[in-house]
Amino acid sequence: RTLRNTTPVPRLIQRILPAIMSSPNPQDQASAKRSRAQSPETDIQQKAPSVDGATAKRAKNEDEEEQEQHLFMRESDVGITQFVTAGWGGFDAIIKHRFSDFFVNEIDPSGNVVRLTSYYDAVDPTPPMSEEQKEIASLNVPENKALAFDAAFVKLAEILGEEDSARIRQLLESEDDEQRSFLLDRELDKGQRKSVYGITNNFLPTQVKCETVDGKLEFIRRSANNRSNSGQGGAPQRRDGRGQQWPHDGDHCYFVMQKENHDTMDVLFQIARCLRSTTRSFGMAGTKDKRGITVQRCSAYRIDHKRLIGASRNLKGARLGNFSYGPRELKLGDLSGNRFEIILRHVKGADEQSLGPVLEGIRRTGFINYYGMQRFGTQSISSHSVGIAVLKADWKAATELILKPRPGDRKEVRKARQVWSEQKDARAALALMPQKAALA
């Protein structure tokens, strides 16, 4: 986890390749083989008598049991040894035996439990207008740019007078590259300057740039490539990622994501791929466990809910709904908590009587959020071990931990790790490693 949240592991391996010892010399390997062949210990092992079937089976079971003990980290391996309730010894159970045994609902900042209840409707309320938006609305900017061009000078004449308004218009309609600006010969008060800026920014956004020079306004004609007296829209148009006009009041489309046995980022990647967008367009209040059924809020920047509905039909292990619009992106921490429903299976060492004091303690004093193995990883090689090696700048050990074969690897990853195991060639192993493999 330490590596996954900082430097992508493949890039890390590329950075530390120079620090890794090269592959063993073939002559050294041959010498080692000769030494083993001449070793009395080896001779004894080769001449050892065969054992009966029962003894062999017992030895095999012991080996498998020892191997199983090292497949997964335990709480005691990372220093978690005590219970909050004094005298309580805990009990054994299987958690997340099925992914449906673990159900998580996000709780929004208002304390509402997030649920997926609607798949097609969208709430698009009109938010209260800011003072700036009210001022822009009061200008009544025409949609047609040619009409907006004419209306701008009527409004400028009310502030600057007919003569200066006409000179600004003449400047903008001129093709003379030597005369591209007009400096007002008098100072205006702050309120007048603000009104002039409002007119030029909303009626003439592509034709003129207005600046204040020593208290006086200077009007600068923009380049011909940015000028056009015809077309649609006098005010700047809000558009989505495909260049189409954005029709909603809020720039962000909020939606509820319910997923099953998938990472949050994996689902967002699926959505982005369906929409030909990037995951940078999405925000979320928090990440959720992969193995479980989880419900959470997400946001998408200027992606219409109808497009998200279409993407939802093609998602694997996820569904989207409860669409609405708002002004800001959801960021990590925009929630007040999570609500869990957990099923424990194959419970041993606990009954209603023994659990009584523990439940009473929870009712009386509450409980500390469980700080457990999800912080260290539950694979045979824990992520914190890799992190410690990196902090110590022990690149050889870090690479060995990252690339060492481990149970459960998919075929492509297993093949790449096998190259490292046999050849100790990190570059060759990295070349075979899938791009999106979670290595640590």
Side-chain angles (χ1 to χ4, degrees):
R1 179 167 299 197
T2 301
L3 292 177
R4 235 180 0 247
N5 289 343
T6 53
T7 305
V9 174
R11 287 213 310 267
L12 173 67
I13 297 175
Q14 289 175 330
R15 286 171 51 193
I16 65 181
L17 276 173
I20 304 172
M21 296 179 62
S22 59
S23 301
N25 190 311
Q27 295 179 355
D28 295 338
Q29 291 179 326
S31 177
K33 289 180 179 178
R34 287 196 298 272
S35 298
R36 287 195 299 271
Q38 297 170 0
S39 170
E41 217 174 90
T42 306
D43 293 339
I44 293 174
Q45 290 175 356
Q46 292 174 349
K47 297 175 182 178
S50 59
V51 296
D52 59 78
T55 304
K57 184 176 181 180
R58 184 167 57 254
K60 180 179 178 181
N61 291 338
E62 290 175 355
D63 289 341
E64 290 178 350
E65 183 178 352
E66 181 180 359
Q67 183 180 10
E68 184 178 356
Q69 289 177 353
H70 291 85
L71 284 181
F72 300 101
M73 300 286 291
R74 296 179 179 274
E75 283 86 349
S76 58
D77 295 329
V78 296
I80 302 174
T81 59
Q82 303 298 319
F83 291 92
V84 173
T85 303
W88 171 245
F91 61 90
D92 294 325
I94 297 178
I95 188 172
K96 298 185 180 180
H97 182 65
R98 305 170 183 169
F99 67 81
S100 57
D101 289 348
F102 196 77
F103 207 102
V104 184
N105 289 84
E106 191 172 274
I107 303 175
D108 68 19
S110 300
N112 301 312
V113 178
V114 177
R115 303 182 188 279
L116 182 60
T117 58
S118 172
Y119 299 99
Y120 303 107
D121 297 330
V123 178
D124 193 6
T126 302
M129 296 179 67
S130 65
E131 293 300 321
E132 182 181 1
Q133 290 173 323
K134 291 178 181 178
E135 187 174 343
I136 293 173
S138 67
L139 293 174
N140 296 319
V141 182
E143 289 292 325
N144 184 277
K145 187 175 289 188
L147 296 177
F149 187 83
D150 292 332
F153 300 104
V154 174
K155 291 185 175 291
L156 287 174
E158 297 174 358
I159 303 171
L160 305 178
E162 293 286 348
E163 183 178 351
D164 287 328
S165 177
R167 292 184 64 180
I168 297 171
R169 179 164 189 159
Q170 182 180 3
L171 170 71
L172 300 186
E173 292 177 337
S174 171
E175 299 293 336
D176 185 1
D177 290 335
E178 295 182 1
Q179 184 65 32
R180 297 190 57 189
S181 65
F182 166 67
L183 182 64
L184 203 63
D185 60 1
R186 64 188 184 279
E187 294 185 7
L188 302 177
D189 61 39
K190 184 178 179 179
Q192 290 175 317
R193 291 198 303 270
K194 183 178 179 181
S195 297
V196 172
Y197 275 116
I199 295 169
T200 56
N201 289 341
N202 292 284
F203 286 80
L204 307 168
T206 62
Q207 287 92 352
V208 65
K209 180 181 180 182
C210 189
E211 295 181 349
T212 300
V213 181
D214 297 329
K216 298 178 181 180
L217 290 179
E218 182 178 18
F219 299 85
I220 305 171
R221 185 178 75 242
R222 295 186 183 273
S223 63
N225 292 334
N226 292 329
R227 289 193 291 138
S228 175
N229 291 343
S230 61
Q232 297 297 318
Q237 297 297 311
R238 300 165 64 240
R239 301 187 181 278
D240 63 14
R242 298 183 299 173
Q244 299 180 1
Q245 185 172 349
W246 181 248
H248 306 287
D249 291 300
D251 283 338
H252 297 270
C253 179
Y254 303 138
F255 59 94
V256 172
M257 174 203 298
Q258 178 170 315
K259 61 181 184 64
E260 299 179 357
N261 207 28
H262 278 75
D263 288 317
T264 302
M265 287 306 302
D266 175 52
V267 177
L268 292 181
F269 179 78
Q270 289 188 57
I271 300 171
R273 184 173 55 190
C274 289
L275 301 177
R276 297 184 179 181
S277 180
T278 68
T279 54
R280 292 192 301 271
S281 300
F282 299 93
M284 56 184 169
T287 58
K288 298 292 181 284
D289 295 82
K290 173 183 177 180
R291 189 165 179 80
I293 300 175
T294 67
V295 185
Q296 66 184 105
R297 295 183 307 146
C298 298
S299 66
Y301 178 70
R302 290 193 181 177
I303 297 178
D304 191 273
H305 71 279
K306 295 177 183 177
R307 297 182 65 201
L308 291 169
I309 291 172
S312 179
R313 298 190 181 103
N314 299 311
L315 296 180
K316 295 180 179 179
R319 190 76 185 268
L320 312 180
N322 294 76
F323 304 99
S324 62
Y325 292 87
R328 58 182 293 273
E329 175 188 9
L330 287 179
K331 295 184 179 295
L332 292 176
D334 288 341
L335 74 168
S336 59
N338 294 286
R339 182 177 184 272
F340 295 84
E341 293 183 17
I342 303 173
I343 297 176
L344 301 179
R345 298 182 184 274
H346 303 286
V347 178
K348 297 179 180 178
D351 52 35
E352 186 175 352
Q353 182 177 358
S354 62
L355 287 174
V358 178
L359 297 176
E360 178 60 30
I362 292 175
R363 281 191 289 266
R364 186 173 62 253
T365 60
F367 63 94
I368 300 173
N369 280 342
Y370 174 61
Y371 185 84
M373 300 309 298
Q374 76 273 27
R375 307 303 178 195
F376 300 94
T378 55
Q379 298 189 43
S380 57
I381 299 174
S382 60
S383 56
H384 77 281
S385 300
V386 180
I388 291 173
V390 171
L391 290 174
K392 291 181 176 179
D394 190 348
W395 308 121
K396 183 179 179 182
T399 305
E400 173 65 27
L401 290 169
I402 291 170
L403 293 180
K404 184 178 180 180
R406 60 187 72 180
D409 281 337
R410 66 178 193 263
K411 182 179 179 181
E412 297 85 354
V413 176
R414 185 168 63 251
K415 184 177 180 181
R417 293 192 197 275
Q418 191 64 30
V419 169
W420 168 259
S421 177
E422 296 173 354
Q423 304 176 18
K424 299 301 180 186
D425 187 341
R427 194 180 301 278
L430 180 61
L432 294 174
M433 193 68 68
Q435 286 293 321
K436 296 186 180 298
L439 302 185

